[in-house]
Amino acid sequence: MGRDPDKPDPAVRDAAFSESDAQLKAIFACSQDAIGVSKAGVHIFVNPAYVALFGYGSAKEIVEKKVGDLIAPGERPRVVEYTQRRAAGNLAPTSLLHPTPADAKRGTWTL
């Protein structure tokens, strides 16, 4: 009995996954944009630009910190609101800057 032609060869699939994983990690690490990934409000990955943005020396200093700990106290209610709106599938700004009138008209926010 031969291999099912509709199912990818596990070795090929694993090699493709490894290559994609390496590419994603390189993009993440080399991005000039600050990228932070969190789960349940806690940082799990941050890139070097994110580390620099918040004035830390390494990602290890941020990972496992609550996201809210890096947000100025006066901005926390707004960040919580935006996070809740996105989690509910609604439009919310992707930065803490106020949208320009053109952004608001398009329903997008830019830096």
Side-chain angles (χ1 to χ4, degrees):
M1 182 172 201
R3 191 179 68 75
D4 183 346
D6 293 331
K7 292 186 180 179
D9 180 327
V12 172
R13 182 195 61 225
D14 292 348
F17 176 79
S18 292
E19 183 178 334
S20 293
D21 186 55
Q23 289 173 345
L24 180 60
K25 287 178 179 176
I27 292 167
F28 185 80
C30 295
S31 177
Q32 292 182 8
D33 292 323
I35 303 170
V37 178
S38 63
K39 183 174 182 179
V42 177
H43 290 98
I44 56 174
F45 301 112
V46 296
N47 73 344
Y50 194 96
V51 172
L53 175 69
F54 287 100
Y56 285 86
S58 73
K60 288 180 182 179
E61 295 177 72
I62 301 175
V63 170
E64 298 184 5
K65 273 190 183 292
K66 291 182 180 179
V67 173
D69 290 350
L70 282 86
I71 306 300
E75 293 295 324
R76 287 180 187 155
R78 187 161 49 132
V79 171
V80 167
E81 176 195 346
Y82 293 169
T83 302
Q84 290 172 341
R85 285 169 55 185
R86 280 192 296 276
N90 298 315
L91 182 64
T94 56
S95 76
L96 295 180
L97 300 177
H98 294 284
T100 66
D103 290 333
K105 194 175 199 179
R106 286 191 309 270
T108 62
W109 285 264
T110 58
L111 295 176

